[in-house]
Amino acid sequence: MLTTPLGIEPVVAPRVVAASAQACESLIGLTRDEIGERLAAAGIPERQVKMRAQQLWQWLYNRGAKDFTEMTNISKELRQTLGAKFTVGRLAVVERQVSVDGTRKWLLRLADGNEVETVFIPEEDRGTLCVSSQVGCTLTCRFCHTGTQRLVRNLTPGEIIGQVVIARDDLGEWPSPADGRLLSNIVLMGMGEPLYNFDNVKAAMQIVMDGDGISLSRRRITLSTSGVVPMMSRCGAELGVNLAVSLHAVRDEVRDRIMPINKKYPLAELLAACRDYPGATNARRITFEYIMLKDINDSAADARELVRLLKAYDIPAKVNLIPFNPWPGAPYERSSAERIHQFSEIVFSSGISAPVRTPRGEDILAACGQLKSESEKRRKSEQAPEPA
Ligand code: SAH
Ligand code: SF4
């Protein structure tokens, strides 16, 4: 499916960040206290610092101000001082594409030239933003294209929250409507392993959840992990977001092969950590993501073993079956529709929900973890000389 774009040409946007602004520190991604510290260091009188930090916070995350000049309850003089030292500028949008099914995808360039992707998936009753946590990924899951890229680095809190800000700019969703939000949910399922960058992910999600700003409930945020067992309890205790676990196999020998992290944290440890996840209840189940790989993990026996494990560990669970998205050179194929259906039926009949995830945004290559490399490749091929 990645090789069948419908000919939608990406719109290449010029960089919007002025050269002079690049040297300034961005206030986006800082906590209120950090903003206060910066203001104090910039000479704002101590007695004003707290109030000014709160005003800025509301401009940034409630009103979505793109420039200090918009901040009309702050004196012109102070706005100039702030503008000389700081920026509230956006990440540069290199490409913006909209699928025939309404899925939007942004390729964003970071200040150091690295790029990440963000995808917005509208549904009937909600809209989900898929956010990246790292440039590339150090783990090398064999079915994942991101895993073939070298990790470049962790994203900063500002770069993580910056993806949410870009999406809300694009959706015209400042300030947050009381109900009926377009961007109603966030999933940390883009590039990277969020639990290998937990501190920055946590800082960014705390901004997203803050009641004076974007104010999205932790119940509407889902973090997906490949199974970084020692970080799972912290995620539950300190963030309290929903957890999704990329399970993908029910036997250690298979999971070792397709997800090398399993050698470090095998199934028994992973499932015990799921059972103990703070906040997991029947009302807030853990999602187990399960990629359907032809003849690797898709048999009826695998489905029965999945049910057995979830029951044995007594985990409040739901299963999401993900048809494998092939990419050039991938060592696997997608299971047949029949196999996927059979697998789903077996899990369902045990009383565990197991819907098949419909691929979204196929025409703009918005599939899991593959976008950046695809667009990089396309740009490279555009630069290549014409064959003689
Ligand atoms: N690193 C985290 C989050 C990002 S990946 C994790 O692994 O959970 C988001 C989801 O996409 C994961 O469940 C991942 O296993 C899945 N994924 C990766 N490559 C895929 C592919 N080729 N087809 C379908 N799903 C894929
Ligand atoms: Fe990294 Fe997740 Fe891809 Fe594995 S599936 S390589 S953990 S992004």
Side-chain angles (χ1 to χ4, degrees):
M1 61 201 261
L2 288 170
T3 52
T4 56
L6 298 181
I8 295 178
E9 283 303 310
V11 181
V12 179
R15 289 208 69 165
V16 286
V17 183
S20 61
Q22 282 181 26
C24 299
E25 185 185 16
S26 176
L27 295 181
I28 292 181
L30 301 182
T31 63
R32 269 197 196 71
D33 286 350
E34 286 168 342
I35 293 178
E37 284 163 22
R38 303 300 192 277
L39 295 181
I44 311 297
E46 200 57 49
R47 63 193 147 73
Q48 281 189 25
V49 160
K50 219 171 164 189
M51 182 261 291
R52 295 293 182 207
Q54 175 65 4
Q55 282 177 323
L56 281 166
W57 187 271
Q58 287 184 336
W59 279 110
L60 294 181
Y61 301 118
N62 185 18
R63 306 290 290 277
K66 290 182 177 164
D67 203 289
F68 291 108
T69 55
E70 293 175 42
M71 304 182 183
T72 44
N73 60 353
I74 297 176
S75 74
K76 204 170 168 193
E77 202 190 334
L78 181 54
R79 290 194 317 239
Q80 277 167 354
T81 308
L82 292 171
K85 292 193 186 314
F86 306 106
T87 164
V88 294
R90 301 328 200 210
L91 300 173
V93 179
V94 182
E95 267 179 37
R96 172 188 182 274
Q97 290 177 272
V98 182
S99 156
V100 286
D101 71 13
T103 300
R104 302 185 192 193
K105 187 188 79 174
W106 299 269
L107 178 69
L108 304 173
R109 185 174 302 135
L110 313 174
D112 65 359
N114 280 310
E115 291 175 346
V116 290
E117 77 214 355
T118 307
V119 177
F120 176 72
I121 305 148
E123 287 169 274
E124 222 162 81
D125 54 345
R126 63 179 174 181
T128 304
L129 190 72
C130 180
V131 171
S132 294
S133 56
Q134 298 181 308
V135 176
C137 187
T138 47
L139 296 166
T140 50
C141 304
R142 289 198 68 204
F143 46 78
C144 178
H145 208 182
T146 307
T148 66
Q149 292 175 228
R150 198 171 60 87
L151 168 75
V152 182
R153 65 173 172 85
N154 281 337
L155 297 185
T156 64
E159 290 163 345
I160 298 169
I161 186 82
Q163 298 171 59
V164 181
V165 168
I166 290 276
R168 290 186 56 142
D169 286 351
D170 201 294
L171 294 164
E173 203 159 46
W174 300 109
S176 307
D179 45 30
R181 286 190 192 201
L182 296 171
L183 200 172
S184 61
N185 293 66
I186 288 179
V187 292
L188 287 147
M189 291 190 190
M191 296 169 61
E193 169 47 60
L195 293 189
Y196 276 172
N197 187 20
F198 182 66
D199 289 338
N200 292 352
V201 165
K202 178 180 160 188
M205 290 306 113
Q206 280 173 334
I207 295 175
V208 166
M209 295 190 281
D210 188 284
D212 287 331
I214 298 171
S215 193
L216 205 67
S217 153
R218 65 194 167 84
R219 293 169 191 280
R220 292 186 169 273
I221 301 173
T222 301
L223 183 147
S224 175
T225 181
S226 57
V228 184
V229 167
M231 293 304 293
M232 285 166 58
S233 59
R234 271 191 71 193
C235 176
E238 295 175 29
L239 264 184
V241 295
N242 302 317
L243 186 70
V245 172
S246 293
L247 191 68
H248 303 327
V250 288
R251 294 168 226 281
D252 279 320
E253 69 268 22
V254 179
R255 200 164 187 270
D256 279 351
R257 216 172 347 120
I258 65 176
M259 301 182 74
I261 193 174
N262 194 66
K263 293 182 196 150
K264 207 164 177 186
Y265 309 116
L267 278 169
E269 284 179 34
L270 176 58
L271 292 170
C274 291
R275 180 193 56 209
D276 300 338
Y277 187 70
T281 61
N282 280 335
R284 287 189 78 202
R285 294 167 184 276
I286 293 178
T287 303
F288 288 90
E289 295 159 285
Y290 197 97
I291 293 199
M292 299 302 294
L293 302 170
K294 187 177 177 184
D295 298 333
I296 302 286
N297 64 355
D298 62 350
S299 69
D302 287 320
R304 285 193 292 270
E305 178 62 6
L306 175 59
V307 170
R308 191 192 69 76
L309 284 174
L310 295 178
K311 299 219 158 161
Y313 281 86
D314 197 21
I315 302 172
K318 54 187 176 190
V319 172
N320 242 334
L321 299 177
I322 314 174
F324 169 64
N325 295 316
W327 36 273
Y332 303 115
E333 285 174 60
R334 179 184 291 185
S335 307
S336 67
E338 221 182 320
R339 268 286 168 91
I340 298 176
H341 181 72
Q342 179 196 40
F343 198 105
S344 169
E345 284 295 305
I346 293 172
V347 181
F348 254 123
S349 64
S350 78
I352 298 170
S353 151
V356 181
R357 197 190 282 172
T358 324
R360 295 290 303 265
E362 289 178 275
D363 53 330
I364 56 165
L365 312 176
C368 304
Q370 301 162 348
L371 316 152
K372 184 196 168 205
S373 21
E374 281 302 319
S375 42
E376 259 184 353
K377 226 178 295 154
R378 198 165 54 235
R379 274 207 304 281
K380 278 190 190 124
S381 69
E382 277 162 11
Q383 287 158 11
E386 290 286 313

